[in-house]
Amino acid sequence: MMSFDLFASEIVDERISIGPGAYVLRGFALPYVTQLLPAIEAVEQQAPCRHMVTPGGFTMSVALTNCGRLGWTTDRRGYRYTETDPASGLPWPDMPPSFRSLAKEAATAAGFDHFEPDACLLNRYVPGAKMSLHQDKDEQDFSAPIVSVSLGMPAVFLFGGHARADKSQRIPLQHGDVVVWGGEDRLRFHGILPLKDQPHPLLGSQRINFTFRKAG
Ligand code: MD3
Ligand code: FE
């Protein structure tokens, strides 16, 4: 039926350009949610989210874990990618196949073919948690994009410029949204405003964000 097809393709194809190499794919992850939630639980069973300490001595309000060959960590000695979870000494959990296909399909939809992520950083936010303005520059390869998936409570994403003091755009992100950053937008400053408590029907009072990277 024609009107239904049009409606479905509108939902699937909503692609909003927020920079020359940055796209919001509204609702792109929604068809994957039933596969993603059990996969997230499995990752967290092997490598629970934890609050890490920054080199400056601050404990992050966001709790994080990783899957894939490499995982991002921080402690008093600095930020880096490691092959093992410092909490257990074991390799990070494998990247679930549903994670990898979502990342590759989203990258392709944004015009980045052949994305081969080797790291997936999973952030868990509760009300009040935030992420201050920063750049992601611990990866070896800035030519690959970063793909991020938001689930659960909504958040306001800050999308800045190439200098910390540049003005930021505020972009609301909802359950199921995917954002892809590449090219000249790859090194832009970005962050997340403190989360309000707006419980989500499936996930309750939390927001989960996971980002796929080519780190090694
Ligand atoms: C823009 N996470 O884990 S995802 C992070 O929602 C991080 O948890 C935020 O920033 C979150 O490092 C935002 C979005 C994101 C990730 C990487 C980017 C935006 C980016 C790299 C360049 C520009
Ligand atoms: Fe970041």
Side-chain angles (χ1 to χ4, degrees), residues 108-173:
T108 299
F112 299 96
D113 280 336
H114 315 294
F115 180 44
E116 290 293 344
D118 54 13
C120 176
L121 165 58
L122 190 149
N123 294 318
R124 162 169 284 120
Y125 294 75
V126 295
K130 65 174 168 57
M131 193 170 287
S132 308
L133 222 51
H134 67 280
Q135 291 171 294
D136 288 21
K137 50 181 189 184
D138 302 318
E139 300 75 23
Q140 303 273 347
D141 184 358
F142 298 145
S143 70
I146 289 186
V147 172
S148 114
V149 179
S150 292
L151 297 178
M153 294 205 297
V156 178
F157 175 66
L158 294 175
F159 193 35
H162 290 276
R164 185 179 296 277
D166 291 349
K167 207 172 156 54
S168 299
Q169 311 176 51
R170 291 174 175 221
I171 297 165
L173 292 180

Side-chain angles (χ1 to χ4, degrees), residues 68 92 176:
W92 294 106

